Amino acid sequence: EKVFSIIWPEAGDQVGDASLRMALTHVRQALNLSPNINDSVLLRRGMISLNPGIKIFTDYELFISSSKRILHGIGTDPNSPDQLHLLEYASWLYQGEFLPDNIYEDWTLSLRHELRDLYVQIQLKRIEAYIQSGQQSRALELYRSYLAIDPMDERIVKISMELLICNGQKHKALQLYKDFAQNLAQEYELEPSAEIKSLYKRIFISNEGK
């Protein structure tokens, strides 16, 4: 009755029942979760449910499990190619902010931050893996894509500057700092930390020396 009232509010019980059964047929075919299609989504005793015998995985669950496996060093060598593949897989599973259509719901806020922080940790590990395997260009590409999303993340800015220095791009490292400091001042009326200021001064002095 609840399904009828939500999807076909103007239909009578007989029409609604026929529409429901037709809709369930399309859902079963689309999901294709079972060798016997009719066993995937059940309509029994006035209840609609997924067959409890079918194991369902969500991107949320897979992202959490893959990330914890990486961060806790479970099952793979941190320096192995398998670890890099797992990092790339976990990164792919994160499809952006959690429930963006419910961004102002209180219950989603802490989970959204938790998942985002986990994603950042995975990205840092992924960048580290690229650097260790000699793929500096891929590491820089990853930094740039992340900074395009969040240019105010000082951790990423600092590591980006260090990587640019290693690649002989001191001018870009200096410009990155200037952009970061300017954005920080404009948005929050704050200054960069002493640590990243010190890094900027070392780069500046080194660059002037040349």
Side-chain angles (χ1 to χ4, degrees):
E1 286 77 10
K2 289 182 180 179
V3 173
F4 293 165
S5 65
I6 293 170
I7 304 179
W8 303 285
E10 305 300 326
D13 289 346
Q14 193 170 8
V15 175
D17 183 68
S19 299
L20 175 60
R21 292 181 184 279
M22 180 61 71
L24 286 177
T25 297
H26 291 306
V27 169
R28 288 164 180 154
Q29 291 172 345
L31 291 176
N32 194 24
L33 295 176
S34 174
N36 185 349
I37 289 177
N38 290 330
D39 287 342
S40 58
V41 181
L42 307 177
L43 174 58
R44 293 176 182 170
R45 301 185 185 91
M47 297 291 293
I48 301 171
S49 64
L50 287 172
N51 188 328
I54 298 174
K55 185 65 176 175
I56 303 294
F57 295 95
T58 66
D59 54 358
Y60 164 79
E61 292 171 313
L62 290 173
F63 174 67
I64 292 290
S65 62
S66 299
S67 299
K68 288 184 176 179
R69 182 180 169 192
I70 293 166
L71 297 175
H72 296 295
I74 300 171
T76 58
D77 179 351
N79 300 316
S80 73
D82 289 341
Q83 180 75 349
L84 183 52
H85 292 154
L86 187 59
L87 284 161
E88 291 174 339
Y89 174 63
S91 299
W92 173 78
L93 285 169
Y94 185 85
Q95 297 294 312
E97 295 287 350
F98 178 71
L99 294 179
D101 292 337
N102 300 85
I103 197 166
Y104 298 112
E105 295 286 343
D106 290 340
W107 72 272
T108 67
L109 189 60
S110 60
L111 187 54
R112 184 177 295 111
H113 289 165
E114 177 189 345
L115 291 173
R116 190 172 184 278
D117 189 61
L118 200 56
Y119 174 69
V120 171
Q121 292 181 63
I122 293 300
Q123 294 300 82
L124 291 174
K125 286 273 189 183
R126 186 180 168 196
I127 290 167
E128 185 179 310
Y130 281 144
I131 294 171
Q132 289 177 351
S133 61
Q135 301 181 64
Q136 279 82 2
S137 60
R138 295 198 69 179
L140 272 172
E141 182 183 336
L142 199 55
Y143 279 126
R144 292 190 185 103
S145 65
Y146 182 82
L147 286 173
I149 299 170
D150 187 1
M152 312 302 289
D153 191 323
E154 186 168 287
R155 295 172 298 178
I156 300 295
V157 172
K158 180 177 178 296
I159 300 173
S160 299
M161 290 172 65
E162 291 170 343
L163 189 56
L164 286 166
I165 295 167
C166 292
N167 281 269
Q169 301 180 57
K170 292 181 179 179
H171 288 292
K172 289 187 177 180
L174 293 171
Q175 188 59 52
L176 179 59
Y177 172 86
K178 291 175 183 177
D179 292 341
F180 169 68
Q182 182 178 359
N183 289 333
L184 198 62
Q186 290 178 347
E187 294 290 332
Y188 303 105
E189 297 183 355
L190 295 173
E191 293 186 356
S193 69
E195 185 179 11
I196 198 169
K197 277 184 177 180
S198 176
L199 175 61
Y200 170 76
K201 288 178 181 177
R202 290 201 306 272
I203 301 170
F204 183 79
I205 292 170
S206 171
N207 198 53
E208 285 294 300
K210 290 188 176 182

